[in-house]
């Protein structure tokens, strides 16, 4: 593809934008999504480095832990559910906006068979 782009007169910037980024987009979406979700669920770094009960660095998971540690299980569970919903909504919006193809479906809506399934079917015939 890069050779064809060079023959057509595409520069390095156009090759990056039109060839490289679309090819690595699914991998980038998954990597950035995992990093984002890790940042949302962060507990250990602020808790260990700054300590508990510091309002300037208190995260939602730290609030849930603090409530559960003080035997207030209802508010602790509520904080944990809110954190789960927050992470789920952010992941859903992120995947929808960037259009990651997580199910490997074709444009008609049907599932695309894996390469292993097609070769196994060919061997059986």
């Amino acid at each position: 593809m890069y050779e064809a782009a060079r023959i057509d007169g595409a520069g390095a910037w156009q090759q990056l934008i039109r060839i490289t980024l679309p090819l690595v987009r699914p991998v980038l979406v998954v990597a950035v999504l995992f990093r984002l979700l890790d940042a949302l669920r962060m507990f250990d770094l602020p808790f260990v480095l700054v300590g508990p009960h510091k309002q300037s660095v208190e995260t939602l998971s730290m609030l849930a832990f603090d409530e559960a540690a003080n035997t207030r299980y209802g508010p602790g569970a509520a904080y944990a559910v809110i954190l789960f919903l927050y992470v789920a909504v952010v992941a859903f919006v992120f995947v929808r906006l960037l259009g990651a193809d997580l199910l490997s479906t074709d444009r008609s809506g049907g599932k695309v068979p894996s390469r292993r399934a097609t070769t196994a079917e060919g061997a059986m015939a």
Side-chain angles (χ1 to χ4, degrees), residues 84-103:
F84 169 74
L85 292 175
Y86 184 56
V87 166
V89 167
V90 168
F92 180 76
V93 168
F94 192 83
V95 169
R96 279 291 181 190
L97 286 178
L98 293 179
D101 186 19
L102 299 176
L103 297 178

Side-chain angles (χ1 to χ4, degrees), residues 49-73:
L49 293 175
V50 179
H53 309 294
K54 303 283 194 240
Q55 290 183 354
S56 61
V57 293
E58 199 162 41
T59 64
L60 194 55
S61 56
M62 288 173 69
L63 285 172
F65 173 78
D66 186 45
E67 292 294 324
N70 291 321
T71 64
R72 294 187 296 263
Y73 299 117

Side-chain angles (χ1 to χ4, degrees), residues 28-42 94:
L28 283 176
V29 167
V30 170
V32 171
L33 178 64
F34 283 171
R35 293 295 103 204
L36 179 68
L37 295 179
D38 284 343
L40 291 174
R41 295 179 294 121
M42 187 185 326
F94 192 83

Side-chain angles (χ1 to χ4, degrees), residues 93-118:
V93 168
F94 192 83
V95 169
R96 279 291 181 190
L97 286 178
L98 293 179
D101 186 19
L102 299 176
L103 297 178
S104 298
T105 56
D106 62 1
R107 298 209 186 267
S108 65
K111 281 199 165 197
V112 175
S114 67
R115 177 178 279 197
R116 182 178 296 157
T118 56

